[in-house]
Amino acid sequence: MTAVFDVKKLKEKYELVLGFEVHVELRTQSKMFCECPAWHFEVEPNTNVCPVCLGLPGALPVPNKQALEWTILLASALNCKINKYQQFDRKHYFYPDLPKGYQITQFYFPAGEHGYLEIDGEKIRIRRVHLEEDTGKLIHKDGVSMVNFNRSGVPLIEIVTEPDFKTPEQAKAFLKMLHLIVRYLGISDADLEKGSMRLEPNISVRLKGETKLPDYKVEVKNINSFNFAVKAIEYEFIRQAKLLEQGITPEQETRGFDPASGKTRAQRRKEVATDYRYLPDPDIPPIKFTDEEISKIIADRPELPYERLVRYLNMRIRKDAAMFLIFNKQIADGFDKLISKEKGLDANKFAVFLSNVPETKRNKSVEELLAEFKAKTQKDTLDKATVTKLVAEVMAENPKAVDDYKKGKQNAIQFLLGQFMRKIRRRVEVGPIVEEFRKQLSK
Amino acid sequence: MQNWDLKTILAKLDKGEISSTELVQYYLDRIKKTDVKLNSFISLRPKEEILKEAKEADKQRASGKVRKLTGVPIGLKDNFLAEGTRTTAASKVLDNFVAPYDATAVARLKNEGAIIIGKLNMDAWAHGSSGENSDYGPTRNPWHLDYTPGGSSSGPATAIAADLVPIATGTDTGGSIRLPAAFTGVVGIKPTYGRVSRYGTVAMASSTDSIGHFSKTVWDNAYILSITAGHDKYDATTSKVEVPPYHELLDKLDPKDLKVGIVKEFFDENIIDSVVLAKTEQAIKELEKKGATIKTVSIKNIERGLELYYILMSAEVASNLARYDGIRYGNDRTYFGQEAKRRIMLGTYVLSDVIPGKGLETTYAKVAMARGYLQQEFKKAFKEVDVLLTPVSPTLPFKLGSKTGDPLQMYMSDLLTVTFSIVGVPGLVVPIGTATNKENVKLPVGIQIIGPNFSETLLYQVGKLLEKPEILNEINLT
Ligand SMILES: [Zn+2]
């Protein structure tokens, strides 16, 4: 017999416990531990490979300095404490796409720890930011399983949050900001479709008011958009709440998200730390950074989206327009350039104008858009003699309206003004014109 | 048996007294004749290729283009990858594995013109002290075929002693060069950890694996190390410390300036056979006669080295053998032998102790800390003395089969070598004479010279004062 549940009641009774693991593939020149190119999209399978990333006997890993620095950069952007002492560890498990039988990662001494990212005034705590290597890719075709090792050893940053999210929407806002930060830093394509950024929610459910973390969690994989993340979380919440309602503790496991059905499916049991038999990698001496080295890496950091947002808000730019700008970096860069150049340009109005530019016109340069903005909003002032002359002309051409005004019909001046505008076919300051009309009409 | 050392060979080649082709032919003939008994080679390279390279070397020599090893034949322990050679590490797991690239040490030797003759026998994966763990049969000691040549570099040591090649490479993780060098009466160096690149050698225990060499004399050994040592961008654990021309500095030591330490804990009659002890003490006396100061030193907890080693080593072995899954190359894991399985299980047990957030409280981490402590003890000792002298093995070479049933007894053969491996310091073994065992078999005895990190120059200088390479002429292989 299938139990019937009232979803609304489940939502009232239970609450979501949600954290994220996000993987970001770095776009360094070479892989994490060898000299092979890190770029692996649209490349002939198994051509970007060498003894190291194929796990051949005798091959040894040599860490990529750029990747280490970029990890520090991202960790600092996420307000983490940067570890001066970093170490690589071996995480053991067997899988055909893992050629060494272990993945090299930073388990005991990650690049960064204890950070946070503020989303709409609420702090989402970052547990750790660490560097590791990607695995190869399994391809199942015509009943055959094949491995492509082009991706094997590509540098990968993992960001782990605390289970601080209250709603799927908050998680989405966080993920979008994280994505933006990575793009601003220029360290990854962070392409969700291609998998250079991967979102893995850790979801569990507990009774509302409960403060203890549930003793299980479900990790969901194969999510390639922010909206799918929301869907997967919503689906899991209901699925787990239903189980709890029946007195069943959900399995600790890894599930896959199916975009077509919007459902998740069990993939495998989730391992615990001891199963991985972590070992400090004896092939890689610990990496020790000095305070100066870390400061130097962080000093080169470009302005971050949330820093830019604060700057815009301080410039009294409306929040929605400011958000538009930070999410459209190219436009914002142009905006910043023009704002500093064009004296007297109303930053807020221009920002709002830009945020309202339809999608079809977004490819225009900000300079072009500025011209449009000016044409639309700025008004010429006509010289006094022209105004006097044109007012007299309009009055002569419209004696009835002049008459009406003189009889006390105040509205008539609007009609005359309209005629004036038709004559000049431009946007001009109306104040001086109205004044001139009044002056001449009262004669 | 011509028993020429490398120095002699280089001189003869230089003077044109012998060609590389003749030289190579001599060794190939000798291998063909004697290796049926000794089993020191697992694979030989095709004869035509070797002779072609020898001819090419002769041509180069004739045209004046001479490198450090032009036309010199060498043998490689079978855990060295050399492009195009079958590389098994003496395990059936890699029975059909042909190396697609050169190990750094191999590349450096080839760059100097060396000709690889073949790949030498060893304990599978370098696990063992007698060569008996080889999946390709044990190697026999040229001093007496019933005896082990020691391991794990059983093939390289035997090949040098039996004059099958003048130079051979080896690896030493806990004594795998030093023990067989002593058991066969040749010179073997385990350099400082990180002195020679490990890139391209089948890893055993990465934190102690050291690449070294076998030769008939100290000069030969120093000459080879000056070629292979040095920083390698493919091995992050190699050192940038400068490599001196070791062989040119051999006579630069006045024995009167030398302070020699005798490790008290290792000169214990309860541990060391009396014949070995007597021979070692005699060598030390000779050194004293030459003017060296001899001093007894004590190194706290030195005897704990063996247990620390077996924990660290098994953990790293289990990890390093994880890649042999038979998917990309080689055979599957059912092909692992007894000893490899034993160490994988031990190591997996050690590594199962993972404490998230408490990286310093795992067994491995505690042992690593104890290792740091031992290193400090050694630093103290080296403030008092320049080098330490110890026996290499508690016993003379033992009979094949005598310890295979008792792994713990076998592990004890490493007692005097493993501690230095954990500490990372270099060790040189040179032959100091022969002794006769209870069964009236004459066998060689070596001595181990230990110095601080990167003191290879000093070790070779002391080795030069102690070595008795002429004992190799006493080998009677019929
Ligand atoms: Zn590679």
Side-chain angles (χ1 to χ4, degrees), chain B residues 266-340:
Chain B
F266 283 176
F267 276 78
D268 184 340
E269 279 170 34
N270 298 314
I271 306 173
I272 318 288
D273 272 8
S274 53
V275 257
V276 175
L277 213 52
K279 209 73 206 164
T280 311
E281 278 164 356
Q282 189 191 325
I284 291 165
K285 282 231 168 69
E286 280 172 30
L287 202 56
E288 196 172 17
K289 255 188 232 157
K290 288 180 183 167
T293 311
I294 313 292
K295 197 176 166 185
T296 300
V297 294
S298 170
I299 296 175
K300 217 168 134 195
N301 289 316
I302 193 169
E303 73 286 355
R304 305 296 296 272
L306 191 68
E307 45 191 305
L308 295 183
Y309 172 76
Y310 271 90
I311 296 171
L312 280 171
M313 179 273 289
S314 62
E316 294 178 20
V317 160
S319 177
N320 283 333
L321 292 182
R323 68 184 58 191
Y324 301 104
D325 53 21
I327 291 176
R328 284 144 292 127
Y329 53 84
N331 293 314
D332 68 57
R333 296 175 78 76
T334 59
Y335 285 76
F336 276 122
Q338 275 272 310
E339 185 60 24

Side-chain angles (χ1 to χ4, degrees), chain B residues 140-141 143-148 398-402 439 441:
Chain B
R140 291 171 182 276
N141 195 320
W143 287 82
H144 191 297
L145 298 180
D146 289 347
Y147 286 77
T148 161
F398 47 89
K399 267 190 165 166
L400 287 163
S402 65
E439 293 180 37
V441 176

Side-chain angles (χ1 to χ4, degrees), chain B residues 71-88:
Chain B
V72 173
I74 60 166
L76 304 176
K77 189 177 179 181
D78 204 25
N79 55 355
F80 281 75
L81 276 76
E83 197 179 337
T85 66
R86 176 185 181 222
T87 303
T88 67

Side-chain angles (χ1 to χ4, degrees), chain B residues 32 333 376:
Chain B
K32 198 172 175 190
R333 296 175 78 76
Q376 291 310 312

